[in-house]
Amino acid sequence: MRFVIQRVKEASVSVEQEVIGRIGHGLLVFVGVSDTDDKRIADKMIDKLTKLRIFDDEEGKTNLSATDVNGEFLI
């Protein structure tokens, strides 16, 4: 299983010109799944994703997770 992660101010996904998902400040995540992936691997990846320090703190250092900044996820 692989994740491609992008910080976003906002993001949406549309199908046939209809928005089916939308977030504000948070993470846009593209997921690649293999036939050998299982629930254990998925749980581990989700845990890593929620703890990933990818947002700036008050000092401008990349030191906060999406959870810390109340970020949203579009997966």
Side-chain angles (χ1 to χ4, degrees):
M1 183 173 292
R2 297 286 187 257
F3 287 176
V4 176
I5 303 164
Q6 182 176 357
R7 280 185 352 186
V8 296
K9 292 182 181 178
E10 62 181 47
S12 65
V13 61
S14 301
V15 176
E16 296 180 358
Q17 290 80 38
E18 180 183 348
V19 176
I20 61 169
R22 174 175 288 161
I23 63 168
H25 179 71
L27 297 176
L28 171 64
V29 184
F30 296 95
V31 180
V33 181
S34 167
D35 58 354
T36 60
D37 292 330
D38 59 16
K39 184 179 180 332
R40 181 186 58 79
I41 293 170
D43 289 344
K44 180 180 174 183
M45 294 294 288
I46 293 295
D47 184 56
K48 284 184 172 187
L49 177 65
T50 59
K51 294 177 181 174
L52 181 65
R53 294 178 177 197
I54 196 168
F55 292 96
D56 296 341
D57 63 15
E58 53 280 339
E59 296 177 10
K61 295 181 181 179
T62 306
N63 198 28
L64 298 175
S65 69
T67 306
D68 295 332
V69 298
N70 294 319
E72 299 175 286
F73 297 88
L74 181 58
I75 300 175

